Amino acid sequence: MKLRFKRYKVIFVAISFSFISILAGCGFKDIDKRVFVTGIGVDPAEKEDGGYKVTLKLSLPVASIKSSTGPNYEYLVHEGETLAEAIRILETHTDKVLEFGHAKMIVINEDLLQDNVKDFMDYFIRRSDIQMIAWVAAAKTSAESILRIEPAAESAVSSTLINFFGSSGTDSPFITSTFLYEFRRNMLSDGIDAVLPLIEASEDNKELIVNKSLVVKEKSKPFELSSEQSKYYNTLLNGMSGFSYKAESEDLTFVINMEKTNVHYKILMNNGQPTAIKMNVKMIGVIGQSNKNLSLKDLNKYDKIASEALKKKIEEFLTAVQEKDLDPMGFGLRYRTMMLYDKNTISEWQKAYTTLPLDVSVKVSLKGTGAIE
């Protein structure tokens, strides 16, 4: 019995060694053999017509966050006829594997947003590691210069640019946040135009400023929304809080801090044709500052002053984009959902949109004067 057991044991060990000898190594590479790409910048090529200059911002590892004195980055830059070609070459500029799983920021030079947007965005959409996580923004002057700015407040293993978007960092109605997939969807959809945040540098190139936006439409120059227009766009589309507005009437001036905004709109129709855009806006807030003492018994009066002032501003914003034949709010998309499919639906909407009357109603409800009586 013992002899048979020993024989089985020898056979088992021999079989195990034979299997081990034919095992292939896996493709895993240690963390110290990888370097993380935190931002991608795309500019027009300077040496090659129609090409692209790609800048990769690499976050270098630190031994300890507490002992680190600041962020530690490396930048790789190369030009190529396509993005894929440029990035393939950049893979040879470092001894480590470029890891794009943390590349949450794609910065595009605003000059590239007029033509061939689909061409270079196609590369990013096809990358499964960034297509659902990356924010897209336009850069004033140069995407490379924006990526190279390292604000003093930036800490190690952190990216200031990413904190501008979403709700992980600052939360402001002036800042438009656009995911990569949202940008592509709105670029390809009929009845809505894509909007990107516009990143600028401060005069001393030490700080980043994000309070404007670009409405991007294929084969036309992007339309820049001012800070004020960006605020109204974000508030109307996303109902963002923190909306402040200065209302004036005769010798009274006060600033309202909006806490809640609800927006409803519909396309009025007659015999299957659009006749007007009707929008109802309801806002709730408090008075944050005033040049005079305010009384609670006059709240209705302040409500009326604020409602009329905001209505005028909202109408100015909607008219400004309508006159440019731009539809960042997606009114055309709403119209399409109201109609049975027809190949002429979108062309009929485009003919009518720029002259459609805007019927805007604003109701502001102030909860208090913001002062203790």
Side-chain angles (χ1 to χ4, degrees):
M1 187 69 182
K2 288 184 178 180
L3 182 62
R4 182 181 297 177
F5 178 74
K6 287 182 179 179
R7 187 177 298 167
Y8 287 152
K9 192 174 179 179
V10 171
I11 294 174
F12 175 76
V13 172
I15 293 174
S16 299
F17 272 105
S18 63
F19 274 111
I20 290 172
S21 64
I22 62 174
L23 285 177
C26 65
F28 177 78
K29 294 188 179 180
D30 293 330
I31 191 71
D32 61 338
K33 300 294 189 297
R34 297 173 183 270
V35 62
F36 293 94
V37 179
T38 59
I40 305 171
V42 184
D43 288 298
E46 298 172 358
K47 303 174 184 175
E48 188 173 349
D49 290 340
Y52 303 103
K53 182 171 75 171
V54 178
T55 304
L56 300 183
K57 186 174 185 175
L58 311 181
S59 181
L60 303 182
V62 294
S64 168
I65 296 177
K66 291 182 179 179
S67 62
S68 176
T69 57
N72 193 11
Y73 294 116
E74 181 183 356
Y75 300 90
L76 302 180
V77 183
H78 188 74
E79 292 187 5
E81 185 179 351
T82 64
L83 296 188
E85 175 190 337
I87 291 177
R88 282 298 178 194
I89 293 298
L90 288 176
E91 289 175 343
T92 66
H93 290 200
T94 177
D95 63 320
K96 297 179 176 59
V97 176
L98 295 178
E99 181 61 62
F100 285 85
H102 292 263
K104 294 184 179 180
M105 198 67 238
I106 299 173
V107 183
I108 310 294
N109 189 310
E110 64 174 343
D111 292 340
L112 289 173
L113 295 172
Q114 187 167 340
D115 299 310
N116 301 324
V117 176
K118 293 177 185 174
D119 178 38
F120 65 84
M121 293 304 292
D122 183 72
Y123 172 79
F124 296 122
I125 289 296
R126 290 175 186 274
R127 290 199 66 110
S128 60
D129 46 357
I130 62 173
Q131 61 185 206
M132 298 297 288
I133 65 169
W135 302 102
V136 185
K140 196 84 172 178
T141 309
S142 164
E144 181 184 359
S145 62
I146 291 295
L147 280 183
R148 286 183 179 273
I149 292 176
E150 297 177 6
E154 194 166 32
S155 58
V157 297
S158 176
S159 175
T160 297
L161 262 181
I162 297 172
N163 291 336
F164 276 104
F165 308 108
S167 56
S168 60
T170 182
D171 196 1
S172 167
F174 290 98
I175 300 176
T176 301
S177 299
T178 306
F179 272 117
L180 173 63
Y181 66 88
E182 289 176 321
F183 178 55
R184 181 177 182 271
R185 180 191 62 198
N186 293 347
M187 280 295 297
L188 298 179
S189 299
D190 290 326
I192 188 170
D193 293 316
V195 181
L196 289 180
L198 181 63
I199 306 176
E200 299 174 276
S202 60
E203 291 184 0
D204 56 2
N205 279 330
K206 292 184 177 179
E207 300 294 337
L208 296 165
I209 302 170
V210 188
N211 55 30
K212 297 178 182 175
S213 306
L214 288 182
V215 184
V216 183
K217 188 173 186 177
E218 193 174 12
K219 297 181 179 178
S220 61
K221 185 179 180 181
F223 178 65
E224 183 175 313
L225 299 180
S226 65
S227 304
E228 195 74 4
Q229 290 172 327
S230 298
K231 181 175 70 173
Y232 283 100
Y233 166 74
N234 288 319
T235 302
L236 293 177
L237 192 71
N238 304 315
M240 293 189 71
S241 59
F243 183 97
S244 297
Y245 179 73
K246 184 174 72 172
E248 296 175 290
S249 176
E250 298 177 351
D251 58 344
L252 174 63
T253 302
F254 57 91
V255 177
I256 315 155
N257 295 328
M258 294 301 176
E259 297 177 352
K260 187 176 181 181
T261 303
N262 287 320
V263 181
H264 298 280
Y265 69 84
K266 57 183 177 181
I267 312 298
L268 302 183
M269 306 281 290
N270 186 17
N271 294 326
Q273 297 298 316
T275 56
I277 299 172
K278 184 172 179 56
M279 177 177 285
N280 293 319
V281 182
K282 293 183 179 180
M283 296 178 166
I284 300 174
V286 296
I287 295 176
Q289 186 178 353
S290 171
N291 65 338
K292 287 187 173 183
N293 291 331
L294 303 177
S295 174
L296 279 174
K297 66 180 182 181
D298 292 329
L299 269 185
N300 290 336
K301 174 186 170 184
Y302 309 142
D303 288 348
K304 186 178 179 182
I305 294 172
S307 299
E308 290 176 353
L310 283 169
K311 177 184 176 183
K312 183 181 177 183
K313 287 292 183 181
I314 291 172
E315 285 178 338
E316 287 177 356
F317 162 68
L318 294 175
T319 303
V321 293
Q322 187 186 30
E323 288 177 348
K324 296 289 182 181
D325 194 17
L326 298 172
D327 189 3
M329 298 294 296
F331 294 128
L333 208 57
R334 174 70 61 86
Y335 173 74
R336 288 177 60 197
T337 65
M338 299 166 61
M339 306 295 292
L340 292 174
Y341 173 74
D342 187 287
K343 63 180 181 179
N344 297 320
T345 298
I346 194 63
S347 60
E348 290 175 357
W349 167 259
Q350 289 169 343
K351 288 179 184 176
Y353 173 60
T354 54
T355 56
L356 276 183
L358 298 168
D359 182 5
V360 179
S361 171
V362 178
K363 182 179 180 181
V364 176
S365 300
L366 297 172
K367 296 194 297 184
T369 60
I372 300 174
E373 295 186 358

